[in-house]
Amino acid sequence: MAETDGVRTNITLICAPIMADTVDHMLLHMNSAKSSGADLVEIRFDSLKGFGTHEDIKTLIKSCPLPTLFTYRPKWEGGHYDGDEPSRLAAIRVAMEFGADHIDVELQAVDEFKNLTRGDKPTKCKLIVSSHNYQNTPSLEDLESLVARIQSTGADIVKIATMAVDITDVARIFQVTAHSQVPIISMAMGERGLISRLLSPKFGGYLTFATIGRGNESAPGQPTIQDLLDVFNFRQIVPDTKVFGIIGKPVGHSKSPMLYNKAFRSIGFNAVFVHLLVDNVKSFLETYSSTDYAGFTCTIPHKEAVVQFCDEVDPVAKSIGAVNCVIRRQDDGKLYGCNTDYVGAITAIEDGLRASGVQDGSNGSPLAGKLFVVIGAGGAGKAVAYGAKAKGARIVIANRTYERARELAEIIGGKALSLADLNTYNPEDGMILANTTSIGMQPNIDETPVSKEALKSYALVFDAVYTPKITRLLREAGECGALIVTGLEMFIGQAYGQYERYTGLPAPKELFREIMAKY
Ligand code: NAP
């Protein structure tokens, strides 16, 4: 088990890139990096307006409150410097002489740099030889030969940065990192490459770059130092840390990592939960197939597609046709799919009704006999419709693609509507409405699936969207006098079920509520 109290259990460093127009701003950012918890800073000298002087280099290195990495990136390698090479390499040499702890020299320039310095280098200064590919991530074979080439230059530390076109590209970065003979800094850039940065300690990376705040990135996909430390428990990640994550597209908005990582940490469970921006579920599951990848929460748009890739599916999830939780059995590596969405949503709606004085029906549920309108026919829609039907409600499905509404209504034994019909649908008062589409989700917070006028017929309105907590639909429903139930309640309910399956331990319900109360 990793330690639980924030003490570091790995050697991977956190390096804050410092980009600013002026030396004074750089110094301010260095202090922020230190107070945020960085181990070292990368002085991106090329970000200074105009060309910095050797006096500036001295000031930055001597006044820095943390160990330094000096980088003077030229335009031809993705940086900002567009002057001549001799001046640039001379500046890197000066940084070395003024006491920089690391210097970064591009693979293409390293021979020239060594000619300039005749190989002289203070022992305390480590030479990082770097290569950047902003287009893609090459094959494993090409990456291995690139690492070998960099190593053969006499680099103390190898650095390779590639672009993740697909999340499966990161697996190759992990492979070269784990097998490198020399210390290595490796990452796949972009949102699809995020796990290459978060899981760097698992594979023994020398450092990972993280910013002092959003907007301070020196390359696409860098997390903030605060996220690394507070959300992803970076200091506690070790080689045998199990990886869990949320598979979706988009997925960056998900609060699941905040919830699970805090809960894992509270009991010293050696695992990390990450965002996984997945385009193709099949290739993702095929690529990340070791038992180290122990479980996946599934969200939009993969809940239905993932069913066919599970080795076994729980009967309830099978009848819903959607899986929101995949567990990899640790004894044989097989994937087991289940659905905790419907319990989360239905319990939240039942609790809301009971709290407002609605009595349970003869089947023990306040939903018995109620007319229950579900907007959406995707994974969450099916789960909510299935759950409400099981509690004795009469079901109506309204969906953008009418055909899907009709199919679901037929299976469940209900009625289908188009989204447009919903605005004039008013067969009785006291109905229940559940939005299970992403309409109204950030950033499209002004959107709503149904007119305010039509909301007057509903006694209770539930929205599965939980970013923002109060959507336009819920705000308008409340203004019309309906009881409202937020997606956050469903989120907490479905997360209890998943946590128990992931850890084999009871979910810390109070902690979940406390964490989510912040959002
Ligand atoms: P899904 O399987 O991809 O289904 C998406 C549904 O939304 C489909 O019915 C789709 O209609 C409809 N839709 C999407 N964009 C639309 C638009 N612009 N206009 C009208 N309809 C649109 O996704 P899901 O997994 O069910 O997730 C749906 C939503 O529920 C997401 O916002 C997700 O975050 C939320 N959710 C919340 C929780 C929670 O715990 N609170 C749990 C699960 C899901 P078509 O059939 O016409 O494509």
Side-chain angles (χ1 to χ4, degrees):
M1 294 237 167
E3 297 192 34
T4 58
D5 58 358
V7 175
R8 71 192 300 159
T9 55
N10 63 61
I11 50 152
T12 304
L13 303 170
I14 296 178
C15 179
I18 303 293
M19 311 266 291
D21 287 355
T22 65
V23 169
D24 284 349
H25 279 130
M26 279 197 162
L27 293 172
L28 281 176
H29 289 185
M30 286 171 173
N31 286 314
S32 304
K34 181 164 188 209
S35 51
S36 304
D39 299 302
L40 75 156
V41 297
E42 181 187 37
I43 300 169
R44 281 294 303 263
F45 203 59
D46 54 302
S47 67
L48 286 179
K49 260 221 167 80
F51 295 127
T53 64
H54 289 186
E55 200 49 38
D56 292 338
I57 298 174
K58 184 175 176 185
T59 307
L60 287 166
I61 291 174
K62 300 282 182 207
S63 316
C64 184
L66 286 171
T68 49
L69 153 57
F70 185 87
T71 300
Y72 202 5
R73 190 77 71 225
K75 278 211 157 143
W76 52 260
E77 185 86 357
H80 300 283
Y81 176 83
D82 61 358
D84 64 275
E85 274 298 276
S87 311
R88 186 177 77 86
L89 297 179
I92 298 175
R93 178 189 188 172
V94 166
M96 183 173 84
E97 289 165 356
F98 280 139
D101 300 278
H102 306 77
I103 49 166
D104 178 313
V105 180
E106 301 71 23
L107 176 60
Q108 285 194 58
V110 72
D111 286 344
E112 205 178 326
F113 182 72
K114 285 189 144 180
N115 285 340
L116 175 74
T117 60
R118 293 193 202 87
D120 288 344
K121 179 170 74 65
T123 37
K124 90 156 223 181
C125 180
K126 294 194 169 85
L127 171 65
I128 299 173
V129 178
S130 63
S131 162
H132 301 79
N133 176 338
Y134 294 92
Q135 267 71 51
N136 55 31
T137 300
S139 67
L140 184 60
E141 209 178 24
D142 287 351
L143 286 175
E144 283 169 344
S145 67
L146 177 63
V147 170
R149 259 177 66 212
I150 295 178
Q151 200 181 331
S152 71
T153 64
D156 297 310
I157 299 169
V158 169
K159 177 185 174 191
I160 52 167
T162 63
M163 182 57 79
V165 177
D166 189 273
I167 193 166
T168 55
D169 293 338
V170 183
R172 302 197 291 285
I173 294 291
F174 287 155
Q175 252 175 298
V176 291
T177 308
H179 294 123
S180 179
Q181 305 294 316
V182 280
I184 183 166
I185 302 166
S186 57
M187 73 223 65
M189 296 178 283
E191 202 185 344
R192 287 169 174 75
L194 178 65
I195 55 171
S196 69
R197 301 177 186 278
L198 303 181
L199 301 181
S200 174
K202 182 171 170 62
F203 299 93
Y206 182 77
L207 64 75
T208 203
F209 291 98
T211 67
I212 54 171
R214 295 200 199 293
N216 289 282
E217 295 82 6
S218 62
Q222 289 170 349
T224 63
I225 299 166
Q226 202 184 354
D227 280 353
L228 276 191
L229 295 176
D230 296 348
V231 178
F232 296 105
N233 300 342
F234 186 82
R235 299 291 195 207
Q236 284 74 48
I237 298 174
V238 287
D240 64 351
T241 297
K242 295 285 177 201
V243 179
F244 294 88
I246 177 159
I247 300 177
K249 184 187 171 184
V251 76
H253 67 281
S254 170
K255 306 282 184 262
S256 296
M258 290 148 196
L259 198 67
Y260 292 112
N261 286 326
K262 278 231 159 39
F264 289 164
R265 190 160 161 171
S266 73
I267 56 160
F269 188 69
N270 185 11
V272 61
F273 193 102
V274 294
H275 292 108
L276 299 162
L277 178 56
V278 168
D279 296 278
N280 181 318
V281 185
K282 183 170 187 282
S283 60
F284 172 80
L285 292 174
E286 280 170 1
T287 304
Y288 296 97
S289 60
S290 94
T291 50
D292 266 9
Y293 299 95
F296 306 111
T297 297
C298 307
T299 189
I300 197 166
H302 299 315
K303 281 184 188 172
E304 293 166 79
V306 80
V307 176
Q308 60 187 299
F309 306 119
C310 293
D311 299 294
E312 200 184 316
V313 177
D314 153 86
V316 177
K318 205 177 259 174
S319 40
I320 294 170
V323 155
N324 76 328
C325 176
V326 177
I327 299 114
R328 192 183 302 282
R329 285 202 300 241
Q330 293 296 298
D331 50 350
D332 60 5
K334 295 249 190 287
L335 294 174
Y336 173 78
C338 59
N339 192 309
T340 63
D341 273 345
Y342 81 103
V343 183
I346 297 301
T347 308
I349 294 169
E350 284 183 327
D351 288 351
L353 286 171
R354 287 191 188 112
S356 74
V358 177
Q359 302 290 316
D360 284 353
S362 56
N363 66 351
S365 170
L367 284 172
K370 293 262 181 291
L371 191 59
F372 194 113
V373 180
V374 181
I375 311 177
K382 283 180 179 155
V384 170
Y386 179 96
K389 178 75 181 183
K391 297 288 186 172
R394 292 168 289 140
I395 309 294
V396 175
I397 314 281
N399 193 41
R400 174 177 62 181
T401 311
Y402 175 75
E403 197 45 36
R404 287 184 84 194
R406 201 186 53 72
E407 274 170 27
L408 179 57
E410 232 170 71
I411 298 168
I412 295 252
K415 186 178 157 66
L417 291 178
S418 71
L419 260 191
D421 287 343
L422 204 56
N423 285 327
T424 51
Y425 185 68
N426 181 17
E428 59 190 63
D429 285 338
M431 300 186 290
I432 291 167
L433 181 70
N435 173 45
T436 68
T437 72
S438 48
I439 302 172
M441 185 166 94
Q442 271 170 2
N444 304 314
I445 56 167
D446 292 330
E447 292 179 4
T448 185
V450 60
S451 71
K452 186 172 176 182
E453 187 58 28
L455 291 174
K456 290 179 181 154
S457 322
Y458 293 92
L460 181 147
V461 176
F462 162 77
D463 201 337
V465 172
Y466 64 93
T467 50
K469 179 174 169 187
I470 302 296
T471 56
R472 178 176 164 193
L473 173 69
L474 291 184
R475 195 183 67 240
E476 292 184 348
E479 286 163 6
C480 291
L483 193 65
I484 61 169
V485 175
T486 70
L488 207 56
E489 291 301 314
M490 171 182 181
F491 179 82
I492 291 173
Q494 59 81 31
Y496 290 159
Q498 298 206 22
Y499 183 87
E500 292 177 3
R501 284 170 172 84
Y502 288 156
T503 61
L505 299 166
K509 299 192 175 179
E510 276 318 304
L511 180 66
F512 274 18
R513 290 211 167 270
E514 240 172 66
I515 297 166
M516 294 316 289
K518 293 189 190 142
Y519 301 104

